[in-house]
Amino acid sequence: MEFKLDLFQTDKDLEKENNFEKTCKISVSKMLPRITLQLPPEYGGLYDENKNTLTYTPEDMYMAAITGCFFTTFSVVSQNSNLQYENIDISASGLMDVLDDVKMMTEISLNITLTLPKGMEKNERKAMKVLEIAEKRCPIANSVKTKIKNTYRINFSNR
């Protein structure tokens, strides 16, 4: 399986004199919208009056790849395990640090909340096993050297 994308700059970006203010676009197919990337504000990238980034950064995309991979892997494992669930919510935080004189994303923490249907308390153990299998099988997480810490919480719906 092969994946492709194109990264390019527009004429508008090329006209900017300050390289910190330049952005680029990523395109993965003509069917999907392009994604704009910039430097994080902490490294000189653009930000608004509240110090919020104006577009996605490579660090955002990296964390999104790890988080999204967990979700899609969980989707496959839960379907194959006949685990019915109502919702999965994942929040992620990443830590950029210097390790052996190299700046890198040293750790990503995923806080995963899985909501099972009301009356399915007997499936809590099965749900935890599915979450753990998804963690072990996520191909993107298995491809990186960043430490990934998953924390799981299982809730039951009130509906």
Side-chain angles (χ1 to χ4, degrees):
M1 191 177 316
E2 182 178 9
F3 298 90
K4 295 182 180 185
L5 66 80
D6 293 312
L7 184 144
F8 58 93
Q9 290 184 288
T10 64
D11 289 341
K12 182 179 173 184
D13 282 309
L14 295 174
E15 292 170 1
K16 295 177 182 174
E17 290 185 26
N18 182 346
N19 287 344
F20 289 155
E21 295 179 2
K22 291 183 179 182
T23 64
C24 67
K25 307 281 188 220
I26 293 178
S27 174
V28 292
S29 95
K30 293 181 193 266
M31 303 297 290
L32 296 172
R34 294 174 175 165
I35 298 169
T36 302
L37 290 180
Q38 73 167 44
L39 277 170
E42 297 82 1
Y43 301 129
L46 300 172
Y47 54 88
D48 66 13
E49 63 279 352
N50 296 319
K51 301 276 186 187
N52 295 312
T53 184
L54 297 177
T55 64
Y56 294 104
T57 68
E59 293 79 1
D60 296 328
M61 299 280 82
Y62 184 70
M63 290 187 8
I66 300 292
T67 306
C69 184
F70 182 90
F71 168 74
T72 56
T73 304
F74 173 80
S75 296
V76 170
V77 175
S78 64
Q79 181 67 35
N80 291 342
S81 301
N82 295 314
L83 177 69
Q84 297 300 314
Y85 71 96
E86 285 195 9
N87 185 48
I88 186 166
D89 183 57
I90 306 172
S91 63
S93 61
L95 179 63
M96 185 71 70
D97 205 349
V98 177
L99 188 63
D100 298 328
D101 293 326
V102 177
K103 188 178 282 191
M104 60 184 289
M105 186 80 66
T106 56
E107 184 176 299
I108 294 177
S109 297
L110 301 181
N111 292 307
I112 302 156
T113 302
L114 179 65
T115 303
L116 298 177
K118 185 177 182 177
M120 297 302 286
E121 289 79 4
K122 66 181 189 281
N123 283 351
E124 185 171 8
R125 181 184 238 143
K126 178 180 182 178
M128 186 58 74
K129 184 170 176 81
V130 168
L131 289 165
E132 291 167 353
I133 291 170
E135 177 179 346
K136 287 182 178 84
R137 291 188 182 168
C138 176
I140 303 296
N142 289 335
S143 300
V144 300
K145 58 185 172 181
T146 301
K147 181 178 181 178
I148 301 169
K149 293 176 22 181
N150 293 350
T151 304
Y152 303 113
R153 188 170 81 216
I154 298 175
N155 293 336
F156 297 93
S157 176
N158 294 330
R159 297 188 263 166

